[in-house]
Amino acid sequence: MYERLYLEVPTPDLEAVRAWLQREFQPVLAATVSQEQPARTVTPDGIRLALAGGELSIFVWSVQRTTYLKAFRWAQQMLPGEPQLLRELEQQVRRRFPCVYPEPPAFNPDSQSIFEALEQKYPLTVKYFQRFPDGEYDLMRAYWWEQRWRQSVRSPQKPREVVIQGLPPNIEPATSRYDLIYLGGALGVIHAAVMARLGYRVLLLERLPFGRMNREWNISRSEAQSLIEIGLLSEAEFEGLIAREYVDGFNKFFDANNPPQARAPVLHTPTVLNIALDSEKLLRLCGQKLRDLGGEIRDQTEFEQVYSHATGAVVAARHLPTGELAYYQGRLVVDAMGTASPIAWQLNWELNGGKAFDSVCPTVGAVIADGFEPGVWDSRYGDVLYSHGDISRGRQLIWELFPGEGKDLTFYLFHYHQVHPDNPGSLLEMYEDFFAILPEYRRCDLDQLVWKKATFGYIPGHFSTGATSRRVGFDRLIAVGDAAALQSPLVFTGFGSLVRNLPRLTELLDTALKYDLLASGELDRIRAYQSNVAVTWLFSKGMMVPTGKHLPPARVNSMLNTFFGILAGESPEIADAFIKDRAGWLAFNRMAIRAAFTNPALLPWIWELAGPRDALRWLVSYLSFTWNALLNVLLAGWVPPFLRWMQRWIEPQNPLLWFRLLAWSYWLTYGAGQPGSGFSVNRSKLPEVYRQGSLPTVAKADTP
């Protein structure tokens, strides 16, 4: 028996595919070659076609809410008309069951609930969201987020102008009430508390009730140490935030349909993402620290516009419960609004060819408090990256699982996705998948589970060709976290990037504020860019199925298993460094060369997915990585310490020069994935001009 064809039929309707195969499929080309119609025998799952000298068995099955088809030959030699028949089968399947990218149904909150609007199209999602605390509110948020994302991706025009040069009407420039105004209360409050600790006057604006979020965070202990070293948390406070620390994390991709060279053992990563944090407790703690340091938090307040002028910035924001519009004046605005940030969309539109991001990870999941049978999962372990099937409806679905407090288990289901107007990526479709296939991933009865919290969002990605290929700094405005779209292609999001680069971002921002170096050219140097991360964006590209295109179902799993199989054969330190974005030039090249020899098909597969344009972009990234790595070897050991020694003379005489040297020093170390000695800001008191003068009352108006 020889496998001759393996296809994914992009529909969850297994019965429709089976009925079509058994009743409607006509192998026209095979009849032309053999001069007679193959004898057809209907089987429970498909058909058998008798040809001269043997037969073909064709059958279908369903997993991951999609349908798969295989054809096997019962003969050692090629049968007459076999290639033509299989080619005709694939062509007819593609015509009858094309790629479909569903649209969410319309929702009118004045006449129906979100459950009523979605029940017909997403029955499982509606059923189980009704079992979440605040499930109706969370489902409305997911629906709103998807609609906003779709509109942003599909808009043929330049995004709405939310960053404006000049002052708003009826507002006069005055002494800034705040040094920093943060937009977004998740990552924003972490950084805001750090800056408030340095003595800055901070305001945080948050659209939601403060302290709520639809994601859970996990990290390694070594990386979280920066939160302690920088003074944000004490050792005891950090330990109090740990919901669970597991002993090992697994990385494994489905390989039942892979060729032998693309199969791999489990990769164990016991020190990667092995600490689950109580994210809402972390936010509340940072919020309390911010308030204790004189900062302010205004929640349920939605950003509308920011006005940048010579001496500061003015933010227009609306208080949602009252509808009242207010203006807030500050020296610098920090955009921490994540994927949905209208600022990021506007300011990177032209620079990035008419789109703000190159890729996105639609991510859904849940925190489940109880209900799994004993033995289904040992809460001492986690899944870092795991797939239990091949490509499903144009996506390679990947799971993440980590334990939390008590019996809590946090599940994420996500995929790497091309940003495309015909197929923006759907949270609602993903949630229907999540509830349908969770029992396939981890044996369970959904009706017995205790649903604690919904987790979802869009995680953006940007394919950097160099340290300046994406703007994060503008006059009186800077982006951090997911709004800067600088995440790792594998496991980290804006949270991981922020924490790993917190010393770098904090000292640079502190220096810029201290000397009022707040023009775009200087703020754009304050970024979490790493050349070793930028060069690995090809991994993201290899996990995306182009819109409207069909790949062999096992293709993505084959690519991932090739790389992770090589990592499994390396020392634990190499694997740990690679997944934590610490791998250097030698390690990266050694792994790439080994992958090419292990699986020679890898290079044409990558070329097929990337194409000449992205291959050229990657080459530019690689050259930048090589240059950064060379400078790191030659200079990183002595230049940063030498600059620290020279700081006492350079900084007072030429603050701008010192700031640029400091940014370059961090680029040599953090930019190559090799952090320096840690945060050691040598900070003097803020200039008195920013501490004097009356603080103006917040101006209010009906329109911006």
Side-chain angles (χ1 to χ4, degrees):
M1 185 171 67
Y2 299 89
E3 182 180 314
R4 297 292 293 126
L5 185 66
Y6 177 31
L7 301 176
E8 190 247 342
V9 187
T11 175
D13 194 345
L14 173 65
E15 293 301 323
V17 179
R18 181 162 48 208
W20 171 85
L21 179 63
Q22 294 173 340
R23 303 170 192 168
E24 301 178 34
F25 168 58
Q26 297 296 328
V28 177
L29 294 179
T32 302
V33 172
S34 62
Q35 301 301 314
E36 61 180 16
Q37 192 76 1
R40 179 195 302 258
T41 303
V42 174
T43 64
D45 296 309
I47 59 174
R48 290 161 55 190
L49 298 176
L51 301 173
E55 69 176 29
L56 291 175
S57 176
I58 306 170
F59 59 92
V60 294
W61 75 98
S62 179
V63 69
Q64 296 192 132
R65 275 190 81 224
T66 194
T67 303
Y68 297 95
L69 178 151
K70 278 193 175 184
F72 283 84
R73 182 181 69 217
W74 291 85
Q76 290 188 349
Q77 302 298 322
M78 184 81 69
L79 302 178
E82 177 187 329
Q84 295 90 334
L85 187 149
L86 295 177
R87 186 164 55 248
E88 179 66 21
L89 172 60
E90 181 171 1
Q91 291 172 353
Q92 290 192 34
V93 165
R94 297 306 181 210
R95 287 195 297 267
R96 177 62 180 81
F97 300 99
C99 295
V100 177
Y101 307 110
E103 298 282 336
F107 167 48
N108 183 355
D110 296 328
S111 61
Q112 60 185 163
S113 71
I114 189 66
F115 295 139
E116 293 169 335
L118 301 183
E119 186 170 20
Q120 182 175 359
K121 195 164 187 178
Y122 303 109
L124 293 177
T125 303
V126 167
K127 177 181 179 180
Y128 293 107
F129 259 87
Q130 291 182 78
R131 303 188 182 189
F132 283 110
D134 301 314
E136 183 173 10
Y137 176 81
D138 287 339
L139 187 54
M140 287 182 65
R141 278 206 72 221
Y143 179 90
W144 165 85
W145 205 341
E146 176 164 339
Q147 293 289 61
R148 187 167 182 175
W149 173 260
R150 285 177 175 272
Q151 182 181 9
S152 299
V153 170
R154 288 175 168 170
S155 174
Q157 301 175 353
K158 188 174 181 179
R160 179 173 65 95
E161 189 176 26
V162 295
V163 180
I164 301 171
Q165 294 292 325
L167 284 165
N170 305 318
I171 298 293
E172 296 295 330
T175 303
S176 295
R177 180 167 186 172
Y178 306 101
D179 295 305
L180 290 154
I181 300 177
Y182 283 82
L183 308 176
L187 295 180
V189 73
I190 297 173
H191 201 253
V194 172
M195 297 307 293
R197 185 177 175 275
L198 294 179
Y200 292 104
R201 300 164 297 187
V202 177
L203 169 67
L204 178 74
L205 302 179
E206 167 57 54
R207 184 180 184 276
L208 299 176
F210 178 74
R212 288 200 60 187
M213 61 179 296
N214 291 106
R215 285 195 63 82
E216 293 295 308
W217 287 329
N218 54 336
I219 197 168
S220 68
R221 185 175 288 275
S222 61
E223 290 172 309
Q225 191 66 26
S226 66
L227 297 171
I228 299 170
E229 292 176 353
I230 206 169
L232 176 62
L233 301 176
S234 67
E235 292 275 1
E237 286 172 332
F238 176 71
E239 294 297 327
L241 294 173
I242 297 176
R244 180 65 68 92
E245 184 172 6
Y246 60 70
V247 299
D248 197 2
F250 307 132
N251 301 263
K252 184 71 182 81
F253 301 97
F254 185 70
D255 59 11
N257 299 302
N258 290 9
Q261 70 271 21
R263 296 179 181 177
V266 173
L267 171 63
H268 295 266
T269 52
T271 58
V272 174
L273 299 178
N274 63 311
I275 291 180
L277 298 177
D278 186 328
S279 57
E280 294 190 356
K281 186 176 180 180
L282 172 60
L283 296 187
R284 291 193 298 269
L285 177 60
C286 290
Q288 187 58 52
K289 287 177 175 285
L290 176 60
R291 292 187 177 103
D292 291 345
L293 291 164
E296 300 177 34
I297 298 175
R298 298 179 185 267
D299 63 356
Q300 301 186 74
T301 300
E302 185 171 30
F303 163 80
E304 292 201 352
Q305 288 177 312
V306 57
Y307 298 82
S308 173
H309 58 92
T311 60
V314 179
V315 173
R318 192 174 300 276
H319 187 236
L320 295 177
T322 64
E324 187 177 35
L325 184 72
Y327 292 107
Y328 304 95
Q329 299 198 45
R331 296 174 56 210
L332 179 67
V333 174
V334 181
D335 176 14
M337 291 186 288
T339 311
S341 168
I343 294 175
W345 278 93
Q346 177 190 337
L347 294 175
N348 281 286
W349 176 262
E350 295 179 358
L351 185 69
N352 201 27
K355 57 183 180 180
F357 308 113
D358 290 295
S359 66
V360 69
C361 280
T363 303
V364 302
V367 179
I368 300 173
D370 203 355
F372 288 94
E373 292 292 332
V376 170
W377 190 252
D378 188 330
S379 59
R380 295 176 299 167
Y381 301 94
D383 274 341
V384 179
L385 294 168
Y386 181 95
S387 67
H388 79 277
D390 289 327
I391 292 171
S392 168
R393 305 201 316 282
R395 307 153 308 158
Q396 178 60 65
L397 300 177
I398 299 174
W399 291 92
E400 181 184 357
L401 161 63
F402 56 92
E405 186 176 7
K407 294 184 177 181
D408 286 3
L409 290 175
T410 296
F411 291 82
Y412 284 130
L413 180 66
F414 63 95
H415 66 98
Y416 290 83
H417 188 68
Q418 173 192 48
V419 177
H420 193 286
D422 295 335
N423 180 22
S426 173
L427 295 179
L428 297 175
E429 283 291 316
M430 286 285 288
Y431 255 125
E432 196 70 6
D433 288 335
F434 176 82
F435 293 115
I437 70 179
L438 179 59
E440 298 172 4
Y441 169 52
R442 292 294 168 221
R443 186 178 71 253
C444 64
D445 180 349
L446 295 183
D447 292 328
Q448 299 302 314
L449 300 181
V450 179
W451 303 93
K452 184 175 181 179
K453 179 181 178 181
T455 57
F456 54 85
Y458 287 101
I459 304 172
H462 174 68
F463 296 160
S464 300
T465 55
T468 59
S469 64
R470 179 179 174 85
R471 295 183 65 189
V472 298
F474 315 90
D475 291 345
R476 303 283 172 174
L477 176 63
I478 189 172
V480 298
D482 286 328
L486 296 170
Q487 100 286 2
S488 160
L490 290 176
V491 294
F492 285 106
T493 61
F495 174 68
S497 176
L498 178 71
V499 171
R500 283 176 289 148
N501 288 277
L502 196 56
R504 172 192 196 179
L505 297 175
T506 300
E507 184 174 13
L508 288 173
L509 186 57
D510 174 70
T511 304
L513 284 163
K514 180 179 176 182
Y515 297 108
D516 206 37
L517 304 174
L518 303 178
S520 61
E522 309 316 320
L523 292 176
D524 206 39
R525 300 173 188 269
I526 306 174
R527 56 174 64 228
Y529 172 82
Q530 293 179 219
S531 61
N532 65 324
V533 172
V535 80
T536 58
W537 67 257
L538 209 58
F539 286 106
S540 297
K541 195 72 176 180
M543 288 185 271
M544 297 179 206
V545 180
T547 295
K549 188 172 183 178
H550 299 280
L551 295 180
R555 174 64 54 82
V556 176
N557 279 324
S558 294
M559 296 177 68
L560 290 171
N561 273 308
T562 299
F563 284 105
F564 277 74
I566 291 170
L567 281 177
E570 295 279 357
S571 68
E573 293 75 20
I574 294 294
D576 184 86
F578 186 84
I579 300 184
K580 286 181 178 178
D581 295 336
R582 299 300 191 210
W585 188 88
L586 288 175
F588 174 85
N589 282 277
R590 184 175 69 251
M591 194 189 80
I593 293 170
R594 284 189 61 191
F597 277 98
T598 301
N599 185 3
L602 198 63
L603 294 179
W605 288 351
I606 292 174
W607 179 265
E608 180 184 1
L609 289 171
R613 177 178 177 272
D614 280 336
L616 180 61
R617 292 175 67 192
W618 179 84
L619 180 60
V620 174
S621 295
Y622 178 78
L623 293 175
S624 175
F625 174 43
T626 301
W627 177 244
N628 196 180
L630 177 62
L631 292 182
N632 176 265
V633 170
L634 296 176
L635 304 178
W638 65 274
V639 167
F642 175 72
L643 289 177
R644 289 293 184 190
W645 182 73
M646 292 290 293
Q647 179 180 359
R648 71 190 74 178
W649 294 287
I650 300 174
E651 185 176 9
Q653 299 299 319
N654 195 330
L656 176 60
L657 175 61
W658 166 247
F659 174 80
R660 292 182 175 180
L661 289 172
L662 184 63
W664 181 62
S665 173
Y666 273 118
W667 179 80
L668 287 175
T669 54
Y670 279 75
Q674 307 296 321
S677 58
F679 181 75
S680 57
V681 58
N682 182 14
R683 184 180 182 280
S684 61
K685 194 168 70 171
L686 279 172
E688 287 297 321
V689 64
Y690 301 124
R691 293 299 187 196
Q692 297 174 352
S694 60
L695 299 180
T697 302
V698 175
K700 299 180 180 180
D702 294 328
T703 58

